[in-house]
Each structure stands twice: as C-alpha cells, then as structure tokens.
Amino acid sequence: MDREEFETYLNANSRAVALFRSRALSYQHSQNRKRAASKRWSETVVASAVDKMVSQFVDNVYDKLNANVKENKLHPYENWVNFIETNEVLDSLEDSVAEIDFED
C-alpha cells in the first residue's frame, strides 16, 4: 500500500484524520490569537499550517506501519488491511489522537 492509498483507507475507515485536523485547527487558531494583531495569520495561512500538520501526521503513521507490515508482493494492499485490522490500529490511532495536546 502506498502512502496515498493508506491515506484514502484511513479517511474511509477511521475518524483519526478528521479528529486530528480538528485539534490541529484549534491549536493553530489558539497560536494565532497569541500573535500581535499586525502579525496574525490569515485563514488561508492557518489552513495551510493545519494541512501541513495533517500531512506530517499521516506520513508518521504510514512510516511506522510500513516498518511493521510484511508485504506480500502479490497482495500488498490486503497485507496492510489485515495488519491494520488484526492489530486494531485504527482504534488505537483514534484513542491516541483524542489524547493529543498541542499546547506548549
């Protein structure tokens, strides 16, 4: 499973990315409110920062799973799905995201 397939699978089968995005958006808005009025970011810049955080989050999850999934060359997608389901990765991921605190 490549990174794009993984992100598609993750979005279709879990709330983890949406939950992470929501928490990242709250964090970025909080950080933005702390800036001087003249230095505050536009909504476009905030959204871009959130997109970058989400992309890094998905990359990190993908890289960690990629190191543990033993791919069968004939059925790599099925190996990923089997590993994710067997190890209850999506449930663990949602629980972890729910506990994330971006505040310094």
Side-chain angles (χ1 to χ4, degrees):
M1 183 180 291
D2 66 25
R3 200 253 184 226
E4 285 182 30
E5 288 174 322
F6 174 70
E7 186 170 11
T8 300
Y9 176 85
L10 192 57
N11 284 321
N13 295 287
S14 172
R15 298 177 324 119
V17 173
L19 184 56
F20 185 89
R21 180 176 296 282
S22 174
R23 293 173 85 62
L25 184 60
S26 294
Y27 170 73
Q28 288 296 344
H29 279 158
S30 172
Q31 293 299 102
N32 206 28
R33 283 190 296 276
K34 293 176 185 175
R35 292 183 181 96
S38 63
K39 301 281 185 185
R40 287 198 181 128
W41 292 354
S42 69
E43 280 302 312
T44 304
V45 176
V46 169
S48 178
V50 170
D51 288 344
K52 184 176 178 183
M53 290 175 72
V54 169
S55 181
Q56 289 173 336
F57 168 72
V58 174
D59 285 347
N60 289 339
V61 174
Y62 177 79
D63 290 344
K64 286 180 182 172
L65 286 175
N66 195 29
N68 292 300
V69 174
K70 291 166 183 47
E71 282 191 8
N72 175 325
K73 298 299 180 198
L74 297 175
H75 306 288
Y77 188 89
E78 289 80 8
N79 287 107
W80 274 77
V81 172
N82 186 39
F83 180 87
I84 290 168
E85 290 175 355
T86 301
N87 294 289
E88 298 179 356
V89 171
L90 299 182
D91 291 337
S92 297
L93 190 58
E94 286 180 11
D95 291 344
S96 296
V97 170
E99 295 175 7
I100 287 178
D101 184 12
F102 292 117
E103 297 301 321
D104 318 282

